[in-house]
Amino acid sequence: MDRRSFMASAGALALSAGLPGCTTLAIAPGVPAAGGAEDQRLRAMLERFFYTRLEHNPEGATNLALDTGERAHLRSRLDDYSAAGKARELARTRAEFAELRTIDRARLSETAMIDYDVVQYDLTRDIEGAERYPFGAAGGRYSPYVISHLTGAYRGIPDFLDNVHPVQTQADAEAYVARLSQFPKALDDNLARQREDAARGVFAPDYILDTTLRLLRQLRDQPAGENALASSVARRARETGIQGDYGARAERIVAGEVYPALDRHIALVTDLRARATHDAGAWRLPNGEAYYAGALKAATTTDMTPDEVHKLGLEQVAALEAQLDPILRAQGLTQGTPGERLAELNKQPAQLFPNTDEGRAALVAFLNEQIAEIYPRLPEAFATLPKAKVVARRVPPLIQAGAPGAYYENAPLDGSRPGTYFINLRDTFDRPKFGLKTLTYHETVPGHHLQVMLAQESEEIPMIRRVAGYAAYQEGWALYSEQLADEMGMYEGDPLGRAGMLQSFLFRATRLVVDTGLHSKRWSREQATDYFIRTTGIARGRSQGEIDRYTVWPGQATSYKVGHIVWDRLRSEAKAKLGPRFDLRDFHQVLLQGGMPLTILERVVNSRIDARLRA
């Protein structure tokens, strides 16, 4: 299970028919306003579900800082990466579903109904995905390949040990070594699953395996003592004054156990590479067209077909190009398509940080200045702010070759570290200055950090929902946040910054086109990349990385623009219905009710509007 989202969910079952007007779910009449006995029974059940799952997700427990006290034993364990572990997880999910159905939904309060419906949605989605598709993952995020440049224990565990596992006490250091000693088994469990899937014809395309091999060799081809797996615990134990030769112990595990397991990984991936095709799309998988349709439903929580998503993308691209044109002309950029002019803007020296360690440090400092600049403005739009702070950091060099361009990692519940906005700086040319504001607002505040941490810190919802995630809800919110920052005046006097915002929207609209192009219309990697560069003006290196990401996570990239359209529509409808009683700060309080599928979000927003009208 992904430590970045304990109950990662994008919603694989469509509860609505299409995007523009999602069908709302009826609330049973006569439901008590305050919670009664059935509410209490549901809340206790969901809390038990969460903590039972936590026992089987020790990495998630550490990420949330819940591996203390009676759960301290979890700090020395890794997740189960085996096929048997996956089967046990499915059995638990079925048992949870059966128990949830013993709740009488009609006796729940309106708030408890939300909890019931969201969790039922998740359980149904996970069961149907696992039963229908035995390979890879088909739940909150569809990912067909056990081993790729974005998936696999070889990629996640070193990053986890170095950046999440704490080393503050001797017990922490011992737990680190214990986890490191389990890493070879996790690798071999992944290997066994990938072998089984390869027998079904499911393994990544050649270009994905090329990057995977580079990452594996980068992790393997260095002296064991210099590997971050060993040097991290040695350095942090030394810095905190912990006695013991943890570096030497870790080095022996790396040399004697981890490296042989990585060699087995490299051997299998090399063999698969020799058999791989260059075809990029999910259409080539067993039952591939249905798999991609499920991936789209998971990402968007709608019933939109690939053709409908593709058409929406083309329409959005045309509209955004029209908005960009006058801004670029005013900057003297008059020749070529908007994407080509954005590419020329990207080349201007004034827009670039040096591609050096000093330049990267300056870029990260620039991002942290942007966070500090917008924080004092947040009360204009939000009545509640998260307690946890957020900082920008570069993606660790060890994983940057295969990492996304940027991503957010939540703060733990105990506040022991801030939320983190990671930016990939393998080449600073990929991150021109005019686009950085928008990226910062997307990943931090008012984007991911604010939304994720308000839910995580909320006392209104059970834990199983406080840490849940839905791509269309979360990514749609983050894109809406870019729009909100513009409405708050953050681009006043900065026309290039506003061009960066529109490029970000264009980037997400283009994703609708290329994701469906790859997985439904059988576009090649090259065709998708060329269209992406031509339309967005984003540098080839970053554009190629984007296309490769969509190859491995089919459907996920469509969630951003679809979700943004729904968030924007719901706010517009609220303003129209409430008129002078509309309060933006109050509208945003819906975030305290946690992530949910877009269909349920619509029901919740409409219910809040009705309550406001009755007040």
Side-chain angles (χ1 to χ4, degrees), residues 285-352:
L285 303 173
N287 205 13
E289 291 185 2
Y291 184 87
Y292 183 58
L296 278 184
K297 290 180 181 181
T300 67
T301 60
T302 74
D303 249 343
M304 294 182 74
T305 67
D307 283 345
E308 289 169 338
V309 172
H310 194 82
K311 180 174 181 290
L312 176 65
L314 292 172
E315 293 169 350
Q316 290 282 311
V317 164
L320 288 161
E321 287 179 333
Q323 293 182 59
L324 270 164
D325 181 69
I327 297 175
L328 296 173
R329 286 185 179 279
Q331 298 298 313
L333 296 164
T334 61
Q335 301 300 312
T337 66
E340 289 167 344
R341 283 178 271 167
L342 286 166
E344 288 303 312
L345 180 60
N346 195 154
K347 296 174 185 177
Q348 294 180 3
Q351 295 299 322
L352 300 175

Side-chain angles (χ1 to χ4, degrees), residues 50-52 54-55 58 61-62 65-77 179 413:
F50 174 81
Y51 287 104
T52 299
L54 207 62
E55 284 293 319
T62 298
L66 291 175
D67 57 349
T68 59
E70 63 184 271
R71 290 180 293 276
H73 61 283
L74 296 176
R75 189 166 293 190
S76 59
R77 289 169 40 197
R179 276 177 156 160
L413 292 169

Side-chain angles (χ1 to χ4, degrees), residues 236-420:
R236 290 189 285 160
R238 184 172 60 252
E239 290 172 352
T240 52
I242 298 171
Q243 299 299 311
D245 199 357
Y246 291 100
R249 290 171 61 187
E251 181 179 354
R252 286 193 292 272
I253 294 170
V254 171
E257 301 174 45
V258 174
Y259 279 177
L262 288 173
D263 288 339
R264 292 190 286 274
H265 252 56
I266 291 169
L268 176 64
V269 175
T270 300
D271 175 65
L272 295 179
R273 173 61 181 82
R275 296 189 276 140
T277 71
H278 197 64
D279 293 329
W283 54 266
R284 67 187 183 87
L285 303 173
N287 205 13
E289 291 185 2
Y291 184 87
Y292 183 58
L296 278 184
K297 290 180 181 181
T300 67
T301 60
T302 74
D303 249 343
M304 294 182 74
T305 67
D307 283 345
E308 289 169 338
V309 172
H310 194 82
K311 180 174 181 290
L312 176 65
L314 292 172
E315 293 169 350
Q316 290 282 311
V317 164
L320 288 161
E321 287 179 333
Q323 293 182 59
L324 270 164
D325 181 69
I327 297 175
L328 296 173
R329 286 185 179 279
Q331 298 298 313
L333 296 164
T334 61
Q335 301 300 312
T337 66
E340 289 167 344
R341 283 178 271 167
L342 286 166
E344 288 303 312
L345 180 60
N346 195 154
K347 296 174 185 177
Q348 294 180 3
Q351 295 299 322
L352 300 175
F353 285 90
N355 198 34
T356 62
D357 286 342
E358 293 77 14
R360 293 179 178 91
L363 192 156
V364 171
F366 187 62
L367 302 181
N368 282 306
E369 291 170 7
Q370 292 172 342
I371 296 170
E373 179 185 24
I374 195 172
Y375 246 102
R377 302 287 304 277
L378 295 176
E380 299 171 19
F382 297 93
T384 307
L385 298 178
K387 300 180 183 69
K389 299 303 181 183
V390 62
V391 297
R393 292 177 57 191
R394 67 176 293 192
V395 170
L398 181 66
I399 64 170
Q400 67 183 9
Y407 55 90
Y408 168 77
E409 189 168 275
N410 63 285
L413 292 169
D414 68 352
S416 57
R417 65 178 184 276
T420 307

Side-chain angles (χ1 to χ4, degrees), residues 7-65:
M7 191 180 172
S9 171
L13 286 182
L15 300 182
S16 66
L19 171 70
C22 301
T23 303
T24 56
L25 305 178
I27 299 174
V31 173
E38 202 70 354
D39 278 29
Q40 295 170 19
R41 190 164 80 92
L42 175 66
R43 184 66 175 252
M45 181 185 296
L46 297 185
E47 292 297 314
R48 179 163 41 80
F49 285 0
F50 174 81
Y51 287 104
T52 299
R53 291 179 182 194
L54 207 62
E55 284 293 319
H56 302 280
N57 181 214
E59 294 172 38
T62 298
N63 192 50
L64 293 168

